[in-house]
Every structure is written in C-alpha cells, then in structure tokens.
Amino acid sequence: MKKNLPIYLITGFLESGKTGFTQEMLEDKEFNTGEKTLLLVCEEGEKEYEPELFWGKNVRIETIDDENDVTPAALLKLLNAHPYDRMIVEWNGMWPLQKFYDAMPDGSFINDQVMLVDATTFEVYNTNMRQQTVGMLTDAAFVLFNRCTDAHNTELFHKIVRVSNRSCQICYEYTDGRQVPDEIKDPLPFDVDAPVIVIEDRDYAIWYRDLTENTESYDGKTVRFKGVCATEKKLPIGQFVIGRHVMNCCAADITYMGLVAVGSVIAPPKVKDYDWNIIEAKIVVEKHMIYRGKGPVLHIKQLTPTVAPEDPVATFY
C-alpha cells in the first residue's frame, strides 16, 4: 500500500445521491487525472456506476456487503492488490462510521469527507435515526442537500447540521438545477461581550462547545451558569468540577461535561457530589492537572446552592 494514502469518504443514507455524486467526481477531469483509484462500495442502491464514463481506466470497483467485513486486514488486502494512489469509499449510512475509522490501515488518512442528504427524507431520518445522522454530520467537511425545493426549510436543515458540526460547508442543490451555498449566520444565544455572560439552562451545551472550540476568546471573562458539582480526591482543597450532563444525539451518549472551579484556600466551597449550584466565576485559561495542560479554570466569585433544572440533561435543542 502506498504511504500517506488519501481517502475520500462519501456518506449518507440509502438513495441520498452518493453514487451519482461519486460518478460525477470520477467523470470530472480536474479531479480524475489518471490516479489509480480504489472505489469501495458498501451499499448498493438503484443507481449503478457507469465506469465506461470515467476518465481513463484507472478505477477499480470493489464491494463490501457486511459491516463485519470492514476490518484492517480486509482493507489492507484490497489496497495491496494494486498500486493505488487513493481510495474513494461510498459508505453505508446504517453502519457506524467508527467501524471504518478503526479499520483504516496505517499510513492512510481522510483527505475529504462528504455527506449527501436527500432533502425530502432528512427530517424523518434525523428524527428516527438520530445517532446515525449525527455520526455522519460530525466529521463531514461538506454537506450537500439535494432534491431541494422552495418548500424545504433550509434554516431548519442548517440548524440541525450546526448542532453537530459548526465548521462544515453546506450547500443546497435544487431540483431546478440551482446550487445555493449556505450563508446563514450562527449567532450565539448569549452575549459573549456582556460584563457577565449569563448562560441559560437550555444553552449550556452550546456554550460548552463554543468554550472548548474558542477557549482563548473567553480568557478573563466572567460567566454565570447553573451546574451540578463533582468532587475529586486528587484535587487540592477548594477545587471541584462543575458542569452538566450533555446529550449529543441519544441517551447512550450522555456525557458529563464540566470545568474546574477554584475557590479560596482559606474558605473553600463546601460542595458535595450531585450538588446543584449557580456559579459566577472569572474564566482563566491556565495549566491544570485535570486538563493535562492548559484549559478554562473557573475562579469563583460567587457560588449559590440551587435546585436542578426541569431537564437536568443539557441538549443542543
């Protein structure tokens, strides 16, 4: 297998347009300039590939019908069969993407990851197969909604995508041939320039994600939010963790997402596990053992006991 082998990963549910998209990629003379390409098909829909239309005869198509056959040994065997320059994968949207990530041979890397979406079925899939939808959205660099009409709510589509992925490009392809890039702005539901940034209960998950993605921009700012405490024996006196349990897509992935809070050594906060408090604190980005490096440390200004919110698990709406 070639060292530093690039992989183009095409994801989406059945009949989302993956085959047509990949076909167009390989017919594009700017993308396909003769590189020896392994096209790995993990799902067969109604549309079939037309390799006679590819530019040159440099593409070999292989199929995998069972997710249990996606293993490091199986992929390495396919890649070692010929001196490929790259691999394109049409992934089965019902299979967990982690299965592919775990099977990627050493020396390969994801060069690009695209999710294809059928606008006519997206809301149904998102409601009934939320975990699979989030899995594909999270790491996508580009999300293409096809079969769009003016009746579709692109603002809702945008919002659903941004809950899982704030940086990917989004484009809407309409049935009349228009391709419209997503230019919807994403204002945060709290004022990051206020003297005290007040985080409402429903906004904790969004704030925590923004904090972790843009940590330095919060350095020196004061925040107030409601959280549940967790104590750690290894922490010095006057320190604990406060945060919320956050659900990204389903109950199975609920995770406690908290921050280190630092009180006075002379008068350490008296908190116990599962205590709910409203904390007002100055955020200082500094080294701390919990973060194994630098991270946002809450220097407590005020700590007030309170009760749990109506929904103690924070979500992305």
Side-chain angles (χ1 to χ4, degrees):
M1 188 193 85
K2 179 181 178 180
K3 292 183 179 180
N4 298 320
L5 183 91
I7 296 174
Y8 297 82
L9 185 56
I10 314 300
T11 71
F13 289 111
L14 184 66
E15 305 304 332
S16 61
K18 298 192 296 290
T19 300
F21 180 85
T22 307
Q23 176 80 31
E24 290 181 8
M25 283 174 58
L26 290 168
E27 289 181 25
D28 185 344
K29 294 181 181 180
E30 291 187 7
F31 175 80
N32 190 1
T33 59
E35 296 89 341
K36 294 186 183 301
T37 304
L38 171 62
L39 172 56
L40 183 61
V41 180
C42 301
E43 182 176 51
E44 294 187 27
E46 292 184 5
K47 186 176 180 62
E48 296 183 354
Y49 283 102
E50 300 177 79
E52 66 275 9
L53 300 180
F54 296 164
W55 178 243
K57 299 183 181 297
N58 57 311
V59 180
R60 184 180 183 88
I61 302 176
E62 299 282 357
T63 61
I64 292 182
D65 299 319
D66 188 330
E67 65 176 285
N68 293 319
D69 292 333
V70 182
T71 64
L75 293 189
L76 192 59
K77 182 178 180 180
L78 289 172
L79 290 168
N80 282 336
H82 297 277
Y84 293 113
D85 297 310
R86 63 187 179 184
M87 177 166 68
I88 300 174
V89 179
E90 181 185 333
W91 188 248
N92 186 320
M94 298 302 294
W95 299 353
L97 265 171
Q98 193 61 46
K99 172 76 74 171
F100 181 76
Y101 296 149
D102 292 341
M104 287 174 56
D106 292 340
S108 64
F109 66 96
I110 302 294
N111 188 77
D112 204 0
Q113 185 165 327
V114 177
M115 181 179 178
L116 276 294
V117 180
D118 181 348
T120 65
T121 59
F122 179 60
E123 292 179 62
V124 174
Y125 274 120
N126 183 60
T127 299
N128 298 313
M129 298 183 182
R130 179 66 178 154
Q131 189 167 5
Q132 291 94 325
T133 303
V134 169
M136 290 185 283
L137 285 174
T138 299
D139 295 322
F142 181 70
V143 178
L144 175 63
F145 286 87
N146 54 46
R147 306 182 186 119
C148 291
T149 68
D150 290 332
H152 286 116
N153 187 347
T154 55
E155 289 193 3
L156 175 62
F157 291 172
H158 169 96
K159 183 176 180 180
I160 293 172
V161 172
R162 285 292 178 249
V163 163
S164 300
N165 188 325
R166 294 186 60 195
S167 61
C168 68
Q169 295 182 13
I170 306 172
C171 186
Y172 307 102
E173 185 174 83
Y174 287 79
T175 53
D176 61 9
R178 287 178 293 150
Q179 287 196 343
V180 180
D182 183 296
E183 297 180 345
I184 299 172
K185 301 299 181 182
D186 292 300
L188 293 167
F190 42 84
D191 185 357
V192 296
D193 295 318
V196 178
I197 305 170
V198 178
I199 309 301
E200 301 295 339
D201 291 342
R202 70 193 300 266
D203 298 329
Y204 181 84
I206 293 174
W207 173 70
Y208 186 88
R209 174 171 288 174
D210 191 62
L211 172 65
T212 55
E213 292 179 353
N214 303 286
T215 305
E216 294 294 336
S217 68
Y218 282 90
D219 192 20
K221 295 188 175 183
T222 298
V223 65
R224 182 192 303 141
F225 65 89
K226 181 186 292 186
V228 63
C229 299
T231 59
E232 290 275 353
K233 291 183 178 179
K234 62 183 178 181
L235 289 175
I237 292 175
Q239 297 188 18
F240 58 95
V241 177
I242 184 168
R244 294 281 298 276
H245 288 87
V246 175
M247 180 172 69
N248 190 31
C249 64
C250 62
D253 77 348
I254 293 176
T255 306
Y256 181 69
M257 297 182 177
L259 304 166
V260 175
V262 177
S264 168
V265 176
I266 299 174
K270 296 179 180 179
V271 301
K272 302 188 298 292
D273 287 335
Y274 311 115
D275 279 353
W276 283 88
N277 282 272
I278 295 174
I279 185 171
E280 183 172 313
K282 179 181 178 180
I283 300 172
V284 179
V285 179
E286 58 188 348
K287 289 184 177 180
H288 195 281
M289 58 189 294
I290 288 291
Y291 301 127
R292 298 181 181 179
K294 279 191 173 183
V297 177
L298 302 175
H299 287 252
I300 300 170
K301 292 186 175 182
Q302 187 173 352
L303 193 69
T304 307
T306 187
V307 296
E310 184 175 347
D311 187 351
V313 177
T315 67
F316 293 93
Y317 305 166

